[in-house]
Amino acid sequence: MTEVVLAVDIGGTKTAAALAGRDDEPLTTRVAPTPAAHGPAAVIATVLELAQLLLADAAPGTRLVGVGIGTAGVVDTTTGTIVSATDTFADWPGTRVADLVRHGLGELLNAEAPVAVQNDVDAHALGEFRHGAAAGASSALIVAVGTGVGAGIITDDRPLRGAHHVGGEIAHMPVPGAEHLRCPCGRLGHLEALGSGIGMHRHFLSLGGDPETPDARGVAAAAASGDPIATRALAESAASVGRALAGAATLLDPERIVVTGGVPSIGAAWWQPMLAAFRADAIDALQNTPILPGTLGDDAPLRGAAASAWRNR
């Protein structure tokens, strides 16, 4: 009998699922588009379909002993329920993800087996903490910078959830330079409004950049070609992340900071102004805090979700 857990990463555009052994390493992975605009029933149905396909392909004697799910949205981890979410996911708030997945799996999952649900960035953070760039640290701040910005705080080998389930929501820290940009939460001046990929692009346009430039990738390409507006937008977006990291590090004093996601993959043109802003704002005691790129990529949230499932057994 081989025991495995089901690890799931529900993102805004795609849902990934994998079976994982006790080392949290995905054995086999399946991916499908996330039908976020079609409501909770469609999203849960996608998770269940992926799970059934994985189990159907598993070796004889494979036994499912738990489920770990990382999902977009603020999650009450005690009940596996979505507390709040952006408009990307129609009617997602209030969805009892744990109960629906358990019910949908039926006899495939033992009644006592855990179904652990958490925010997707918390799962990502736990994956990097257990197996990636933060492995071996006593505490870490893991920040994902992509279309949006998210973060997870790991202390005592566990994500810090917070009294209102929003521990690590660095996206909504106010940062200098973002005052002219509106965050997806509706407020002006937050980190995500400037530091995210969408924020970088909007900042570029606000500076008079070419409106034919479609997104942050286009901004990065224009900067690489010497466009002064693109160069400024890229540097100021990156610097906003560095300032936010300095503020978060002052409050949390993590042993290690890990930065991951699509935007940091731009390379030195992003990392250099981000690190310079951190060093300029961080107090002397924090100057040597390691700031490292993530190493697990898309496997990070799956490995973190798997770790949560095993821990809750």
Side-chain angles (χ1 to χ4, degrees), residues 197-208:
I198 288 176
M200 180 194 301
H201 181 244
R202 288 177 177 167
H203 184 46
F204 168 76
L205 296 177
S206 77
L207 296 173

Side-chain angles (χ1 to χ4, degrees), residues 146-301:
T147 302
V149 180
I153 303 159
I154 310 293
T155 59
D156 298 325
D157 201 32
R158 293 180 180 274
L160 176 66
R161 309 294 187 187
H164 303 94
H165 316 294
V166 295
E169 284 286 354
I170 195 172
H172 305 293
M173 287 179 59
V175 293
E179 297 85 358
H180 63 300
L181 298 169
R182 191 169 299 279
C183 180
C185 75
R187 295 162 179 83
L188 293 169
H190 289 183
L191 171 62
E192 187 164 305
L194 177 58
S196 66
I198 288 176
M200 180 194 301
H201 181 244
R202 288 177 177 167
H203 184 46
F204 168 76
L205 296 177
S206 77
L207 296 173
D210 182 358
E212 297 298 318
T213 302
D215 52 24
R217 291 186 183 89
V219 175
S225 298
D227 182 321
I229 296 178
T231 300
R232 176 183 170 185
L234 172 55
E236 291 179 350
S237 178
S240 72
V241 176
R243 292 190 189 99
L245 292 182
T250 304
L251 182 64
L252 301 168
D253 191 15
E255 182 178 338
R256 206 171 299 174
I257 298 172
V258 176
V259 184
T260 185
V263 171
S265 68
I266 289 171
W270 187 88
W271 278 89
Q272 289 175 357
M274 186 277 288
L275 290 172
F278 178 88
R279 303 302 177 203
D281 282 3
I283 61 173
D284 290 349
L286 298 173
Q287 286 291 317
N288 293 323
T289 302
I291 303 178
L292 306 172
T295 60
L296 297 183
D298 289 345
D299 277 354

Side-chain angles (χ1 to χ4, degrees), residues 40 72-74 81-97:
V74 176
T81 301
I82 306 299
V83 175
S84 64
T86 67
D87 292 341
T88 302
F89 279 75
D91 302 322
W92 199 227
T95 303
R96 300 183 68 86
V97 175

Side-chain angles (χ1 to χ4, degrees), residues 30-142:
R30 292 256 186 176
V31 179
T34 302
H38 298 287
V43 175
I44 298 299
T46 298
V47 172
L48 296 173
E49 181 181 357
L50 292 173
Q52 290 159 0
L53 290 170
L54 288 165
L55 290 167
D57 291 342
T62 299
R63 177 170 174 252
L64 183 64
V65 298
V67 179
I69 299 173
T71 175
V74 176
V75 180
D76 180 345
T77 58
T78 63
T79 63
T81 301
I82 306 299
V83 175
S84 64
T86 67
D87 292 341
T88 302
F89 279 75
D91 302 322
W92 199 227
T95 303
R96 300 183 68 86
V97 175
D99 289 347
L100 292 170
V101 169
R102 182 184 297 281
H103 177 76
L105 288 172
E107 294 182 356
L108 294 173
L109 184 68
N110 186 285
E112 288 75 38
V115 180
V117 184
Q118 63 189 317
N119 172 263
D120 53 352
V121 182
D122 282 347
H124 192 123
L126 187 58
E128 286 285 357
F129 184 80
R130 286 287 192 88
H131 305 288
S138 60
S139 61
L141 170 65
I142 294 93

